[in-house]
Amino acid sequence: MAELQGRYDVIVIGAGPSGSVAATSLANHGYRVLILEQQHFPRFSIGESLLPQSMEFLEQAGMLQAVIESGFQHKNGAAFCRGHEYDYFDFRQKFSDGWGTTFQVQRSRFDKTLADVAEQRGVVIRYGQTVTAVDQCEGGITVEVKSEEGSVYHVTADFLLDGSGFGRVLPRLMNLEKASQLGTRIALFTHIEDNIRDSRFDRNKILITVHPENPEIWYWLIPFSDGRASVGVVLPRELFDEASQEQKATLQRYISEGGMLSEVLANAVFDTPVRTLGGYSCDVKSLYGERFALLGNAGEFLDPVFSSGVTIALKSATLAAATVHRQLQGLEPDWELEYAAPLKTGIDTFRVFVEGWYDGRLQDVIFAGSKNESVKGMISSILAGYAWDTRNPYVREPARLSTLAELCRL
């Protein structure tokens, strides 16, 4: 037990992307960092289609080369179809400066890659550990931990970061949760042997499909580099009764209604159990407090439609690590101005686009017959994750999306 006790500069809950990037960034400054992870890696997770903006954050933390060397599927854009309508956005043709390409990743391997880099940089990671309580103490914050063997111990740090994702450890323990304003939806998804031979499908792009009769239903198809793919459907919660529906049959039935998607997946082998995720949209009362801050999904998650989750997670990790560094240097940073407000700039941009997707405005823009190339580049930038580039008029004033949709309907 004694070796588990101790004092660190920073404790991070969760070894996912936000936790590993924040921990590595702080370790790069010489801090003693401990990650407490409930599961063992590799482990399954969704959020497999990265956005190019993520590459910048990985590069800043010195973790990008390990990702590049992992052999993940190249990605250069996003394609959209509705029935047999089809269009795409090439992220290399965007308004914002920066990376125009990224990867589509099996998260089990991607997350372990990042965690391994964190350990190589001196971060201590303890797997199979569950945080059960937190307590402010004199000069720090103490975390109560239960090991998988059942023992309970305590560790103390100057600062605590929560990168627990959908586990949302600190929001639950500190009563920070609040209801999301986004609608309640459920996702059904799995991995398949895709056997795609359809020339219309571009493996360098995620394919997002709209149900031809119900625009609130949409699908993702994310190809991997090994001939497999992640496929899922997102439904309004009222359309799925978990008690009365067989999940694999339900997913396959919706895919059969997907127009071009059904044809692309005509030879797919569904060889992995179908999973569900519901009630994923979430929010919190505050992203930070005395000696703690929330990262990524532990703070707020919008919707999987634009694959923004990992990008927001990495942005939060980058901002938080820099702010913690200033705090540990005794500089008394303003967490609202230096962390919460900048992070929310991008979150709020993504939120407008998510809302626009479900109310039809963004779908009208995407499937418009003709597009102004300059404006398309601005939209492409946001879809590529550059939701913090305030030079972009659609970041500076996201409500412009409504005007653009009206013009596209003419």
Side-chain angles (χ1 to χ4, degrees), residues 144-336:
E144 180 184 88
V145 187
K146 184 176 182 180
S147 73
E148 58 189 349
E149 293 79 20
S151 61
V152 176
Y153 62 96
H154 297 82
V155 283
T156 301
D158 295 317
F159 207 90
L160 176 63
L161 292 171
D162 185 359
S164 61
F166 291 121
R168 298 171 60 75
V169 172
L170 289 189
R172 288 188 292 102
L173 293 178
M174 305 181 81
N175 191 31
L176 296 172
E177 294 183 297
K178 72 174 185 179
S180 171
Q181 298 303 305
L182 297 173
T184 303
R185 300 180 178 89
I186 189 165
L188 288 81
F189 53 93
T190 190
H191 285 182
I192 58 174
E193 180 184 334
D194 61 63
N195 293 317
I196 297 173
R197 294 185 281 273
D198 193 314
S199 62
R200 294 173 295 177
F201 182 67
D202 182 352
R203 295 196 78 88
N204 292 321
K205 295 176 176 64
I206 182 176
L207 177 63
I208 299 173
T209 299
V210 183
H211 191 284
E213 296 178 5
N214 187 339
E216 285 196 74
I217 299 173
W218 66 274
Y219 316 76
W220 74 74
L221 178 59
I222 301 170
F224 300 133
S225 59
D226 58 359
R228 297 184 64 78
S230 172
V231 62
V233 62
V234 175
L235 313 165
R237 187 67 180 84
E238 61 270 17
L239 293 183
F240 181 75
D241 181 357
E242 193 165 5
S244 64
Q245 300 194 47
E246 204 281 319
Q247 295 173 1
K248 179 179 177 181
T250 300
L251 176 58
Q252 290 179 311
R253 175 171 62 82
Y254 275 107
I255 289 173
S256 72
E257 300 171 359
M260 174 182 155
L261 176 68
S262 175
E263 298 164 8
V264 166
L265 293 179
N267 300 308
V269 178
F270 287 72
D271 55 5
T272 306
V274 174
R275 302 169 184 249
T276 62
L277 180 64
Y280 45 73
S281 297
C282 52
D283 201 352
V284 288
K285 300 171 186 175
S286 177
L287 290 168
Y288 64 93
E290 183 67 26
R291 296 185 180 274
F292 76 86
L294 310 179
L295 307 177
N297 297 350
E300 183 165 3
F301 182 75
L302 298 172
D303 191 272
V305 63
F306 301 123
S307 306
S308 62
V310 173
T311 301
I312 292 172
L314 298 188
K315 176 69 172 181
S316 71
T318 303
L319 287 171
T323 312
V324 170
H325 174 50
R326 288 193 288 275
Q327 180 156 329
L328 295 182
Q329 293 295 301
L331 300 179
E332 299 183 357
D334 185 323
W335 275 86
E336 183 62 31

Side-chain angles (χ1 to χ4, degrees), residues 44-51 72-73 75 102-108 110-111 189-192 206 220-224 229-232 275 304 307-310:
F44 182 87
S45 182
I46 57 170
E48 300 140 323
S49 194
L50 305 183
L51 302 182
F72 294 118
Q73 172 66 47
K75 176 186 175 183
T102 185
F103 298 105
Q104 307 195 116
V105 302
Q106 296 94 329
R107 282 288 301 279
S108 58
F110 175 73
D111 289 12
F189 53 93
T190 190
H191 285 182
I192 58 174
I206 182 176
W220 74 74
L221 178 59
I222 301 170
F224 300 133
S230 172
V231 62
R275 302 169 184 249
S307 306
S308 62
V310 173

